[in-house]
Amino acid sequence: MRSFITFEGIEGCGKTTQIHLLTECLEKRGYKVVTTREPGGTHIGDAIRRILLDSKNIDIDIKTELLLYQAARAQHIKDVIQPSLAQGSIVLCDRFTDATLAYQGYAQDIHQDFIKTLNQYATDNLIPDLTILIDCPVEIGLQRARDRMATHHAAVREDRFEEKSLDFHHAVRLGYLQIAENNSSRFYIVDGREDPASAHRSIQSAVLKMIAA
Ligand code: TMP
């Protein structure tokens, strides 16, 4: 059974921590796990990520932005996701097509059907088997993201999205909740205010149930 699991949520919702905890838990049980992220996951995708998230590029056109996310995704699908799934690995991906629908669609008004068409093109129609949405109030998520940035010394400051308005992040959060409602059989929603250990327990049980099914 194929296991392609994606993690979604606003900035600072706790995806990275949960992916780390889930990876450890699955590897302990003997599963082969590949963790990856979007934008990124390949050297071409990482180069695109640097352009997209650099705060110097605040003037990027929304069409350029949308196409760059999809370009990074096409490379990621071909080089990492499809080969890993074909080898029987469980793939855990930090953001995927739902992020484009939430950030570029719900929050920036690009037509959703157009984004869905581009998503299908970039992914060769690959749809996650399970999507974990870590839902978190915007104020809490952004504070965590700011705290993380204060201790982060990357060569390129990945903070362009954290500089957007509160309204933008609220629209992203509501967008994700709407996408989850529209795709309820694929989504599992976790409360991002929970402590990481208890959020992990509920994610672990949802994932193990899916793998066993
Ligand atoms: P993250 O790796 O810290 O989650 O940052 C990735 C950023 O890129 C985040 O702000 C969400 C944004 N993003 C989009 O706007 N559209 C997309 O399709 C993807 C994958 C990410």
Side-chain angles (χ1 to χ4, degrees):
M1 149 92 195
R2 197 193 69 178
S3 298
F4 177 36
I5 302 168
T6 57
F7 284 74
E8 301 282 359
I10 62 161
E11 322 297 314
C13 69
K15 289 180 284 102
T16 311
T17 306
Q18 292 304 328
I19 289 172
H20 180 70
L21 293 171
L22 184 62
T23 303
E24 270 184 3
C25 149
L26 293 172
E27 284 179 344
K28 262 194 218 141
R29 285 174 161 74
Y31 292 104
K32 237 173 88 195
V33 181
V34 171
T35 61
T36 187
R37 68 173 179 180
E38 290 204 348
T42 65
H43 72 278
I44 293 172
D46 283 336
I48 294 174
R49 180 184 180 93
R50 284 193 287 279
I51 297 171
L52 280 165
L53 303 191
D54 188 342
S55 56
K56 285 205 300 286
N57 294 335
I58 194 83
D59 58 344
I60 193 167
D61 184 79
I62 188 167
K63 293 179 188 169
T64 312
E65 183 179 61
L66 172 66
L67 294 171
L68 285 176
Y69 280 116
Q70 297 294 2
R73 179 165 298 141
Q75 197 71 35
H76 193 208
I77 285 282
K78 180 177 151 285
D79 289 353
V80 177
I81 297 179
Q82 277 171 343
S84 304
L85 292 172
Q87 284 165 15
S89 296
I90 296 176
V91 176
L92 306 182
C93 188
D94 188 340
R95 299 196 187 281
F96 193 58
T97 45
D98 297 310
T100 322
L101 216 48
Y103 281 83
Q104 279 68 50
Y106 282 93
Q108 295 181 90
D109 288 336
I110 296 188
H111 201 280
Q112 290 183 26
D113 286 339
F114 181 59
I115 294 178
K116 286 180 190 165
T117 301
L118 287 178
N119 279 344
Q120 286 169 351
Y121 181 66
T123 63
D124 290 332
N125 294 313
L126 182 70
I127 296 170
D129 300 300
L130 175 69
T131 297
I132 312 283
L133 171 59
I134 306 183
D135 178 51
C136 179
V138 167
E139 292 73 11
I140 294 178
L142 289 188
Q143 191 52 52
R144 285 185 195 151
R146 277 187 212 108
D147 293 346
R148 186 184 60 209
M149 253 181 333
T151 55
H152 191 70
H153 301 291
V156 175
R157 287 187 65 214
E158 289 191 350
D159 55 2
R160 199 165 60 76
F161 275 87
E162 271 104 12
E163 287 173 356
K164 296 232 182 207
S165 73
L166 268 186
D167 284 352
F168 172 85
H169 293 286
H170 278 295
V172 172
R173 183 186 184 198
L174 293 180
Y176 270 131
L177 289 170
Q178 188 62 58
I179 298 166
E181 198 178 312
N182 296 345
N183 298 272
S184 56
S185 60
R186 170 166 66 88
F187 268 80
Y188 183 76
I189 303 180
V190 176
D191 186 341
R193 291 168 301 182
E194 274 187 82
D195 71 280
S198 69
H200 169 62
R201 278 193 295 278
S202 58
I203 291 172
Q204 176 187 325
S205 81
V207 167
L208 292 177
K209 206 158 99 193
M210 185 208 81
I211 292 171

